Amino acid sequence: MNRITQKLQEDKKILSIYFSAGYPDLNDTVQIIQDLEKNGVDLIEIGLPFSDPLADGPTIQASSTQALHNGMTTQILFDQLKNIRESVKIPLIIMGYFNPMLQYGVEAFCKKCAEIGIDGLIIPDLPVDVYADEYQAIFEKYGIINVFLITPQTSDERIRFIDSVSNGFIYMVSSASVTGSQSGFGNIQESYFERIANMNLKNPQIIGFGISNKETFNQATKFAKGAIIGSAFIKHLSESGSGKISEFVGGIR
């Protein structure tokens, strides 16, 4: 069974942390992953830096740009992670844009992920229809879960289609904005969370965008299986370095 599926079956709210591979320094990637697991994080999203990150706000964009300046590439990330399963047990997801994966070769990328123990991919700019028609069989061949995003503007029909081709969780974007651009949730967002919860989808939902502290984590997980923190963690890394991860995670739950 895929580690993501196993983790989702646990009777707990999932805390997922996102960071850009190769940030703050090129060789920080593995240590950050290990420290996040040691401090009780349930799932980690490793950002594959890209030069044109459409969904990312300024904080993640800046970390991605710095990682590229540091020399991070797809191959270097794979090299850094080649022995990751000797020390890390929790699910690992690579989040990135489709262009670098296409350049690497989609099947070669999935095969490499399977070899090193990556459990899933999040590709914001890969349409679900294209995935279902052209790539789903490849992902399933290598046991890689593909996680799709929905927003408040996604139609019920499309949400149900996404649910039908998904076999992990659905990444529920809290609002139609870029990452890190808001703090807290209002009535509109809470009614959206509730609406999706009432759809009784087969895949659990994990909420991302706008979660930065214990309050927003608790607010999001009232309606969903878990929540994702990205920009707030990257800000912590930029201000405190990679040595104080326990302080950050301890402040969430």
Side-chain angles (χ1 to χ4, degrees), residues 39-86:
N39 286 286
V41 169
D42 300 298
L43 193 155
I44 298 171
E45 294 171 20
I46 306 158
L48 178 59
F50 184 54
S51 55
D52 190 20
L54 303 173
D56 297 324
T59 301
I60 292 178
Q61 276 195 26
S63 69
S64 184
T65 300
Q66 183 60 51
L68 291 171
H69 285 321
N70 290 345
M72 179 52 71
T73 64
T74 303
Q75 190 56 55
I76 287 174
L77 177 59
F78 283 148
D79 289 344
Q80 289 180 347
L81 297 177
K82 66 182 177 185
N83 298 316
I84 195 68
R85 286 304 173 191
E86 292 175 8

Side-chain angles (χ1 to χ4, degrees), residues 72-148:
M72 179 52 71
T73 64
T74 303
Q75 190 56 55
I76 287 174
L77 177 59
F78 283 148
D79 289 344
Q80 289 180 347
L81 297 177
K82 66 182 177 185
N83 298 316
I84 195 68
R85 286 304 173 191
E86 292 175 8
S87 59
V88 172
K89 301 291 183 279
I90 61 173
L92 300 175
I93 295 175
I94 289 179
M95 183 169 186
Y97 293 87
F98 195 46
N99 188 280
M101 299 177 194
L102 206 53
Q103 288 183 340
Y104 196 90
V106 176
E107 180 152 10
F109 195 95
C110 289
K111 184 170 187 268
K112 195 68 179 173
C113 285
E115 284 172 3
I116 62 181
I118 297 298
D119 305 290
L121 297 175
I122 302 173
I123 314 167
D125 59 341
L126 175 60
V128 61
D129 330 61
V130 176
Y131 167 76
D133 291 342
E134 298 181 32
Y135 301 111
Q136 187 170 1
I138 296 172
F139 277 65
E140 290 176 352
K141 176 181 176 182
Y142 294 101
I144 303 296
I145 285 177
N146 196 18
V147 177
F148 291 98

Side-chain angles (χ1 to χ4, degrees), residues 172 186-198 223:
M172 196 168 149
N187 293 336
I188 293 173
Q189 284 157 318
E190 289 211 350
S191 63
Y192 157 59
F193 298 161
E194 202 164 359
R195 176 172 70 85
I196 302 302
N198 289 335
F223 300 97

